[in-house]
Amino acid sequence: MTLDDWLARTATKEDSFAASIGASQAAVNRYRHGRRVPRPAVMARIVAATGGAVTANDFHGLPEAPPKPSTGIAALS
């Protein structure tokens, strides 16, 4: 789930979320709209503050779990 989705679904304001993770409202706005990726320490606080609903993968558009290996030619190498 994206940070934008989480904030909207929980009706959490940017400024109160920012205070909960020790960031500025402007930084949260940038994270929310994909203009900045949080540093690892801030990312960990976002994951904790959202109860794991928002993960680092969500900032990179990656799936929750890595895809399973293919049984095609790549699997033979």
Side-chain angles (χ1 to χ4, degrees), residues 42 49 61-62 65 67:
V42 176
L62 299 173

Side-chain angles (χ1 to χ4, degrees), residues 40-60:
V42 176
M43 188 77 71
R45 293 194 299 266
I46 290 171
V47 172
T50 63
V54 178
T55 68
N57 286 350
D58 298 317
F59 286 92
H60 299 286

Side-chain angles (χ1 to χ4, degrees), residues 4-75:
D4 185 47
D5 289 340
W6 188 87
L7 291 170
R9 288 182 187 183
T10 61
T12 303
K13 303 251 185 227
E14 288 180 1
D15 56 348
S16 61
F17 186 73
S20 75
I21 64 166
S24 68
Q25 178 275 328
V28 169
N29 184 275
R30 289 184 198 110
Y31 303 149
R32 179 180 199 169
H33 296 292
R35 291 190 296 269
R36 178 192 278 175
V37 175
R39 293 185 176 266
V42 176
M43 188 77 71
R45 293 194 299 266
I46 290 171
V47 172
T50 63
V54 178
T55 68
N57 286 350
D58 298 317
F59 286 92
H60 299 286
L62 299 173
E64 285 298 313
K68 296 192 180 206
S70 171
T71 57
I73 294 172

